[in-house]
Amino acid sequence: DTAVSQTPKYLVTQMGNDKSIKCEQNLGHDTMYWYKQDSKKFLKIMFSYNNKELIINETVPNRFSPKSPDKAHLNLHINSLELGDSAVYFCASSLIIPGGADTEAFFGQGTRLTVV
Amino acid sequence: AQSVTQLDSQVPVFEEAPVELRCNYSSSVSVYLFWYVQYPNQGLQLLLKYLSGSTLVKGINGFEAEFNKSQTSFHLRKPSVHISDTAEYFCAVSGYGTALIFGKGTTLSVSS
């Protein structure tokens, strides 16, 4: 039973297209994230949602729009894809303890996005 | 603001040798510290974490790490590595109001 699942696993698309990546967690966590891993394997936070509310929005082009229909789902929609968007995108969820710090994040398997 | 520095980008070792992957952090507040492993074409898996209590933390696959507050370090160790430990290792920190912040990763290559 997968804790954090994201689809699709691979996504190849042309420049200028719009695409979405879906993420679901069955851990009962309140907080979900999107991370981007670049070609040098560096992991950078993009967005964080807590109970469907956006709480972290790093410097990300506004072509990227997260949507959380409920606290178990966090989708990522990307408009007008560019070559530089090629990366692996990871969804994660975590439990925030009282006081507001992550105790552990569980990650999905990643979506490898290739823009051609 | 918090940050994490992994001091070695690549660590090559022979099978059955000991290994230490170094991690330093900076933070003005109390933090929690983590080590994650990423095998090729896979997601991240938690190896171990330090939240509070004993500064020596034991994790999965025979790994352990020691939290050293005075040196702001959280180095990962294993006394004897296997070929299957070849992977990317990430140190991470979290604090109040922030998501996990990752270091740039250390590639551990184990050869026979």
Side-chain angles (χ1 to χ4, degrees):
Chain A
D1 210 17
T2 306
V4 181
S5 59
Q6 50 183 113
T7 55
K9 188 169 182 180
Y10 298 97
L11 186 52
V12 181
T13 188
Q14 290 188 325
M15 274 174 33
N17 283 350
D18 302 339
K19 290 293 178 187
S20 292
I21 306 171
K22 295 186 176 182
C23 179
E24 176 182 5
Q25 56 97 1
N26 62 7
L27 297 165
H29 290 163
D30 290 335
T31 303
M32 296 185 71
Y33 308 90
W34 280 109
Y35 281 85
K36 178 180 180 181
Q37 186 174 45
D38 63 22
S39 58
K40 295 184 180 178
K41 307 245 172 137
F42 182 52
L43 282 153
K44 186 172 165 57
I45 181 72
M46 299 174 70
F47 302 103
S48 171
Y49 269 74
N50 181 270
N51 276 322
K52 302 193 297 176
E53 283 193 36
L54 181 66
I55 56 172
I56 293 176
N57 184 353
E58 292 296 314
T59 307
V60 175
N62 57 15
R63 297 181 295 102
F64 290 79
S65 53
K67 285 189 173 54
S68 182
D70 55 62
K71 72 175 191 176
H73 295 83
L74 180 61
N75 304 322
L76 183 65
H77 188 76
I78 316 170
N79 290 328
S80 304
L81 278 154
E82 301 177 357
L83 292 176
D85 298 331
S86 295
V88 182
Y89 293 85
F90 284 101
C91 176
S93 75
S94 72
L95 186 64
I96 306 287
I97 65 168
D102 278 344
T103 56
E104 179 180 346
F106 291 80
F107 284 79
Q109 291 296 296
T111 296
R112 183 174 295 276
L113 171 65
T114 304
V115 183
V116 297
Chain B
Q2 292 135 357
S3 67
V4 176
T5 302
Q6 291 184 242
L7 298 164
D8 308 292
S9 59
Q10 296 189 26
V11 174
V13 294
F14 287 108
E15 197 173 18
E16 297 182 11
V19 71
E20 178 180 78
L21 307 184
R22 298 179 295 164
C23 173
N24 284 96
Y25 69 92
S26 67
S27 176
S28 57
V29 296
S30 296
V31 295
Y32 301 134
L33 294 156
F34 308 81
W35 276 99
Y36 281 83
V37 61
Q38 183 180 28
Y39 298 104
N41 297 315
Q42 293 191 27
L44 281 83
Q45 179 184 5
L46 182 72
L47 274 178
L48 48 80
K49 61 184 176 183
Y50 172 78
L51 303 182
S52 65
S54 172
T55 57
L56 182 62
V57 181
K58 294 192 183 297
I60 63 171
N61 300 342
F63 284 94
E64 64 180 32
E66 185 152 20
F67 171 61
N68 188 320
K69 189 173 182 179
S70 62
Q71 296 187 7
T72 60
S73 67
F74 190 55
H75 300 333
L76 181 71
R77 301 185 183 99
K78 186 169 182 177
S80 174
V81 294
H82 303 288
I83 298 282
S84 58
D85 292 323
T86 294
E88 193 78 19
Y89 291 79
F90 293 95
C91 182
V93 63
S94 78
Y96 177 76
T98 71
L100 282 180
I101 296 169
F102 287 88
K104 292 190 175 181
T106 297
T107 303
L108 175 64
S109 302
V110 183
S111 56
S112 56

